[in-house]
Amino acid sequence: MCVVCGCNSSGQQESAQVAPDAGGAVVDARTGDLHFGAGAARVSVPGMSESRAIRIEQDVLGANNQVAQHNRAHFHAHGVRALNLVSSPGSGKTTLLCATIRALQQNHPEVALAVIEGDQQTSNDADRIRATGAPAIQVNTGKGCHLDAPMVAQAFARLAPHDHAHGHEHEHEHEHEHEHEHEHEHEHEHEHEHEHEHEHEHEHEHEHGHGHHHPTQSLLFIENVGNLVCPALWDLGEDAKVVILSVTEGEDKPLKYPDMFAAAQLMVLTKTDLLPHLSFDVQRCMDYARRVNPGIRILQLSATTGEGMNAWLDWLVHPDAIEPTSVQARIAQLEAELARLKAGQG
Amino acid sequence: MHELSLAGGVLKVVEDAAVREPFARVLKLHLEVGKLAGVELRALRFALEAIAPGTLLEGAELEIDEPQGRAWCMGCSTEVEIAQRGDPCPSCGAHWLAPQGGDELRVVDLQVA
């Protein structure tokens, strides 16, 4: 066996072996000579064997995900619902965001708003947001093609959307509730999470029944770098990814960029006022999106005419209020069944 | 090109391991990148080669496993293999699939010296 990597190749080193009692030295099988520093590292370090395997089993995005979990806990502790808005460049994210902020300021003045704007360069978008009166921080990624969790953590520290919520009597209750949920998420394996979500939704309905009128105290919009590929992989600590697709783009984008549509909870089809001038097939686009993500929710709107905006605003403020479609209900049912089966096997 | 960021993530995992269990360099890097992970393997290999010089990864051999995409077909009530997101169920042809695996993106182990 090769002493360098443990492979089965029979090279010159076949005659050399690391002797268990030779302190990591290579032993010449013929003469019994000891060769320190003759191994792969070409250096002898006391206490270190020459070549060894180290079990790692670590997620490449682990460092990012840890910060993202921290962000999530931080957001929840402050009653902030964070949304990661992703799309290709030119889909109208910023236009939609400006229209959304103005509408929320009018119809839901109790909800605090803040925006983190991600672009490679310029502060044009943050300037447009600030013109609405909402606080915004521009994050320029330089050559980066996506925002990551540490960027969002730093940007959030410079915003103060949570100040609005400070001083509320029930704030502490909320903190405890959310911290508790987090512990649960850590302890449960992936397959159990769906069940957990159901419990969560159920709790939510329950809360509504008891007359809690502050489902969302504060909204943080994170406008990611315009890119339908890379941002799909980076968790920022958001409650949901929202993928925005304008009807001036191809209706097959969900198939071309499936990872992003699979990662999103909601797809918003924008610029629907232009549909009469285009050959965009809305139904086909929705079918494609559901191919890669059967549970995705879909809204259609025009930020210019305001058509469809109310459903979007409702989703922002009452995220669980949209009736699940029959497909979603069926998925939920089957996923619960699957989780039960898996639990039975384990 | 998020693969360059991912290569940086791989290096971070390796450097953290070197702090825990000191070693001079990596001889072999063993990764697992699922078919549904959203990673272009050629780009990842290129990125790892690009960042390796001067790091623990310099000269390291690269082994990448590619676990198949696995999804639960809600029509067939069974688990099926898919090559990419958006593919139909190979047995019923429908798209009611909930991915169950194949999105791994992990450093499995290292051979070090």
Side-chain angles (χ1 to χ4, degrees), chain A residues 5-19:
Chain A
C5 63
C7 72
N8 290 321
S9 76
S10 51
Q12 303 166 323
Q13 292 177 330
E14 197 174 24
S15 61
Q17 285 180 349
V18 177

Side-chain angles (χ1 to χ4, degrees), chain A residues 4 40 48 50-60 146 230 234 259 262 291-292 294 331 334 338 342, chain B residues 2 5-6 13 17 21-23 25 27 38 72 74 85-86 95 97 100 105-113:
Chain A
V4 175
M48 267 173 68
E50 278 288 354
S51 167
R52 65 192 199 277
I54 301 180
R55 200 88 194 139
I56 303 282
E57 302 280 0
Q58 263 186 49
D59 199 314
V60 172
H146 58 270
C230 312
W234 273 264
D259 295 310
R291 269 194 202 182
V292 298
I331 289 165
L334 286 162
L338 177 64
K342 279 193 171 169
Chain B
H2 55 287
S5 304
L6 295 177
V13 169
E21 311 179 43
F23 54 83
R25 67 189 192 93
L27 303 172
W72 181 257
M74 292 168 238
R85 290 186 199 276
H95 290 276
L97 297 173
Q100 301 291 311
L105 181 52
R106 295 188 308 147
V107 180
V108 182
D109 55 40
L110 305 172
Q111 191 69 30
V112 300

Side-chain angles (χ1 to χ4, degrees), chain A residues 95-113:
Chain A
T95 301
L96 172 61
L97 213 40
C98 289
T100 302
I101 289 167
R102 284 193 204 97
L104 286 171
Q105 283 167 339
Q106 227 168 27
N107 305 328
H108 297 278
E110 75 283 2
V111 178
L113 303 171

Side-chain angles (χ1 to χ4, degrees), chain A residues 195-216:
Chain A
E195 260 190 7
H196 203 68
E197 274 172 28
H198 287 291
E199 280 171 28
H200 181 71
E201 278 181 20
H202 184 73
E203 272 173 25
H204 235 95
E205 282 167 18
H206 204 62
E207 280 175 17
H208 281 293
H210 282 275
H212 282 254
H213 295 297
H214 296 288
T216 300

